[in-house]
Every structure is written in C-alpha cells, then in structure tokens.
Amino acid sequence: MSLLKSKLIVTLPVIVIAVIFIFSLAMIPSLNPAPRNLPIAIVNEDQGLATPEVNTGGMIVSEIQSETWANPDGEPAVKWIEVGSEAEVKAGLDNQKYYAALVISKGFSEKQASLMTPDPSSPRVQIYINQGMNASASSMAGQMLNQAVHGMNEKLGAELLAAIGQQGGMLSTKQAAALASPIVSETINVNAKGTRNGNGNSPVLMLQPLWMASLIGNVVFLLVKNKQNYMNRKERVRANIIQIIWGTVIALAAGFSFTWFAGSLGVHISHFTDTAIFLAIAYLAFFLMIAAVFAWIGLKGMIIFVLLLFFGAPLLSFGPEFLSPFYRDWILSWLPMRYMVDGLRELLFFGQRLRMNHPTVILIWIGIGGLLVLLASAFRRSRAA
C-alpha cells in the first residue's frame, strides 16, 4: 500500500489519459483527409469556329468551373486556375503551382464539328498529373479531371447522336467508332515519382533517419559535456566551438553516406553530390538547433524533438490543401523539417540542382540561429558557480 502514497502513482490514470489524448491528435489529419481549394490548372487553346460562331472549348471550361466540387465540410474542393497556354502551364507544374492540369487542344471545335461528317476527327484533351508535387494529392486531382472528361464525353456523345437523329442521317463506321468516345484524352505524368520512391513519399521517409541521427548525436555530446563539468566561460566556449566543428564533419559524413545508402536501396538520386550536400545542410541545421535547446534546458529538451517528429511526419505526407486550417497554419507551417522535405522533393522529382532556394535558405538560417544560441549558452552562469 506504500505505493499508493506516491502522488505520481495516484495521478497515473490522469497522466495516461493525457498521453493518449496528446498522441491521438496525430491521428486526426489521417482519419478523413479532404481537399480544400486544390489548385488545378485549365488551358483552352481552342480558337472556335467563325461559322457558326461557337467555341466548344470555352463552353467546356465554363461548365467545368461551374460544376460544384465540395468536400464533406461543404468547402470548395478545387480551385480552378485558367492559364493562357500549354507552355505556361508546364512551367507552372514545374514550379509546383498546380497538382494537375487540363489542356483543351487547338482545333477542338473544328474537330467536334467533323464528327457530324463521314470523315470524323476526334477532338483531344491532355491531362497532366504533377506526381512529384504530392503523390496522393496529384492522384486525386487526376481522378477529378478524368471524371470531368468522362462527363463531357457522355454529354457530347448524346448531343451529337440527337443531332444526327434529327437530321435523319446514317452513321458511318468511322462515325460510330468516334461517337463511342467523342473526346480522346491523354494522361501525361510529369515530374514522375518513379518506381521505388515510397509512392512519392521518399522525402518524408528520409526525414526520420536524419532527424534521429542529429538527435542521438546531440545526446552523446550532452552526456560527454556534462561529465567534463566545465567550470569557466572560456572552457564552455571552447567546448561549444568543438561541438560546432565536429557537428559539421558529422553532417558531411551523414549527408554523403545517407545519399549512398538511399541510392543502394533503389531510391532514384538524379544528382548524387547535390543531394548529399543538401542532406548535410539539413543535418547540420537540425544538429545545431537541437544542440542549442539542449545547451539551455538539458536532456529534457529531447521530448520536444521526439514529439516534433511524431506529429510532423504524418502531416508532411499530405498536401497542405488536405489539412484543416489549424494543422496547416499552426502546426505544418512551424515544422522545421518540412524545409528538408520540400528541398528533397525538388532534387528527387523536379530535376533541380542544389541552389539557394527557399528550403535551403531557411535551413541555413535555422542552423545560424542554433549556432548563435548555442554559443550564447556559454555565457550563462554555470550551476556549480
């Protein structure tokens, strides 16, 4: 019965319930993800007909945009973005502006009119799927576009058959084949996710080993530094400088070894050196950030970084449009590891080289901030003093 005299034992049920509640919060985004304003581009290159004056491509664009696409919460599921040309939309896909795009080809109205003649030519559309941006989001966007094209096919086929019937005409073999599916659609995957990239989630999968390696590295440094029990400021500054220099060496080792290991497992690495250096930058940024926190609050800071990984990894596998405003604005936007994932996505799927883009710059600033806070910790009064 002596155990029951401990306040910690008595409050253990409350602690367990609190832990269950906190860790259950990580499940919420995965329970019923629904898109909100998923950006999909639409291009109409159809010039229309002068006689009779008609632009079928423009009519299709208007019908698609007027169609109601809503998620279970009643919010718009799609944000249609009209783009001027196919070249412009391709550039937007490469810049991760759209998850997918529908391109209505030139001469669409002319070819549609030819379906009423003995020598028909089917109008064409292209559906671009931006796989590298986010595999699940781009797949859903592609399904929406295919559904829209299927609906257009059924409507256009019914209208053409009715018009031919009113004219009392007979269908040729070519016409019958063309009217079975009046619009020919072509699906084109761009910035492809590849075959061994975790269904497009390899940047998120590569986060966990690097994050844990930077955390374990700092735990070892903290334990060794605590044993040394530095008594004066000069010794603490020297110890922190050694940690920064050695952390840089470890970062390079981690970046190149991890890139080689991922490649040996089958992950497609377009540019080995660029990817290795970027991973080294990410490791050093995380290493210095964790070191700064440990320098001020000690090993208790580990729970912060374990929770960041636990809550962050599931969120990073979704597109931002699939998260609620709370998770998108207050959790995802504050996750330091998302910049590593975004940078890796560009390197692995978009064929980019290492450059001073937004993810790289933010990681460098995270590292600089961690470095300054780590150095500043040497100037606080030691516990022994």
Side-chain angles (χ1 to χ4, degrees):
M1 297 296 291
S2 60
L3 280 176
L4 297 179
K5 294 180 180 178
S6 169
K7 291 182 179 179
L8 188 60
I9 296 296
V10 172
T11 58
L12 191 57
V14 177
I15 296 172
V16 169
I17 292 172
V19 169
I20 291 174
F21 173 76
I22 292 171
F23 281 87
S24 295
L25 294 176
M27 296 171 51
I28 294 176
S30 305
L31 292 177
N32 189 26
R36 295 171 176 82
N37 293 311
L38 202 66
I40 300 178
I42 187 165
V43 179
N44 177 27
E45 294 189 329
D46 180 29
Q47 304 95 336
L49 295 174
T51 307
E53 187 175 348
V54 63
N55 190 309
T56 308
M59 293 168 56
I60 290 173
V61 171
S62 299
E63 287 181 14
I64 290 177
Q65 290 179 328
S66 63
E67 193 169 344
T68 302
W69 301 75
N71 61 26
D73 297 327
E75 299 173 297
V78 178
K79 179 182 179 182
W80 295 106
I81 302 172
E82 285 196 62
V83 182
S85 66
E86 187 173 5
E88 188 179 343
V89 85
K90 286 181 178 178
L93 291 166
D94 289 338
N95 291 323
Q96 303 187 57
K97 291 183 178 179
Y98 326 114
Y99 287 104
L102 175 67
V103 178
I104 300 172
S105 301
K106 294 178 181 178
F108 190 96
S109 296
E110 183 180 350
K111 290 181 178 180
Q112 182 220 346
S114 75
L115 296 175
M116 300 285 290
T117 69
D119 188 23
S121 178
S122 297
R124 307 182 71 87
V125 298
Q126 287 83 37
I127 296 174
Y128 287 92
I129 310 296
N130 198 4
Q131 287 189 327
M133 190 171 173
N134 184 277
S136 58
S138 61
S139 176
M140 179 172 287
Q143 290 173 10
M144 291 177 175
L145 288 179
N146 278 306
Q147 183 180 340
V149 172
H150 179 72
M152 290 188 295
N153 253 327
E154 288 188 339
K155 182 177 180 181
L156 183 59
E159 290 176 351
L160 290 170
L161 285 173
I164 292 173
Q166 288 176 357
Q167 294 175 4
M170 298 291 291
L171 288 176
S172 67
T173 305
K174 283 187 176 181
Q175 279 182 300
L179 290 178
S181 182
I183 302 172
V184 175
S185 65
E186 179 186 7
T187 300
I188 303 169
N189 293 322
V190 296
N191 304 310
K193 62 186 180 182
T195 55
R196 299 196 67 179
N197 271 300
N199 196 30
N201 271 329
S202 54
V204 180
L205 297 176
M206 292 174 72
L207 164 67
Q208 183 172 337
L210 202 75
W211 184 266
M212 291 304 298
S214 60
L215 183 58
I216 296 301
N218 274 290
V219 170
V220 173
F221 259 106
L222 181 64
L223 294 176
V224 173
K225 287 167 72 176
N226 285 345
K227 284 184 179 180
Q228 299 295 325
N229 195 21
Y230 301 110
M231 297 299 296
N232 59 65
R233 185 178 300 167
K234 185 177 180 180
E235 290 178 342
R236 293 195 297 272
V237 170
R238 186 185 297 114
N240 287 345
I241 291 174
I242 291 173
Q243 183 172 0
I244 292 167
I245 295 172
W246 197 239
T248 304
V249 174
I250 296 171
L252 289 170
F256 279 87
S257 63
F258 192 22
T259 305
W260 173 84
F261 190 65
S264 66
L265 291 176
V267 177
H268 178 67
I269 308 291
S270 301
H271 308 289
F272 181 91
T273 303
D274 291 33
T275 305
I277 294 174
F278 177 78
L279 288 175
I281 292 171
Y283 180 94
L284 185 58
F286 298 155
F287 181 88
L288 293 173
M289 175 182 64
I290 296 170
V293 174
F294 279 10
W296 285 90
I297 65 175
L299 206 56
K300 296 187 292 293
M302 180 184 286
I303 188 64
I304 298 173
F305 301 104
V306 171
L307 288 175
L308 274 175
L309 180 63
F310 184 82
F311 282 97
L315 296 182
L316 292 168
S317 62
F318 292 104
E321 295 81 9
F322 284 77
L323 301 175
S324 68
F326 171 76
Y327 280 93
R328 184 182 65 245
D329 300 332
W330 294 99
I331 306 295
L332 181 66
S333 61
W334 290 95
L335 291 176
M337 63 272 281
R338 79 183 180 95
Y339 300 103
M340 173 198 155
V341 172
D342 290 345
L344 265 184
R345 202 179 295 280
E346 291 192 12
L347 289 166
L348 297 180
F349 303 138
F350 289 84
Q352 298 289 343
R353 304 299 297 262
L354 180 66
R355 57 197 177 97
M356 294 298 288
N357 55 6
H358 182 65
T360 306
V361 170
I362 295 298
L363 286 172
I364 290 173
W365 276 112
I366 290 173
I368 292 173
L371 183 147
L372 294 176
V373 174
L374 175 60
L375 291 175
S377 67
F379 294 91
R380 63 173 182 164
R381 295 186 63 184
S382 65
R383 294 174 184 174

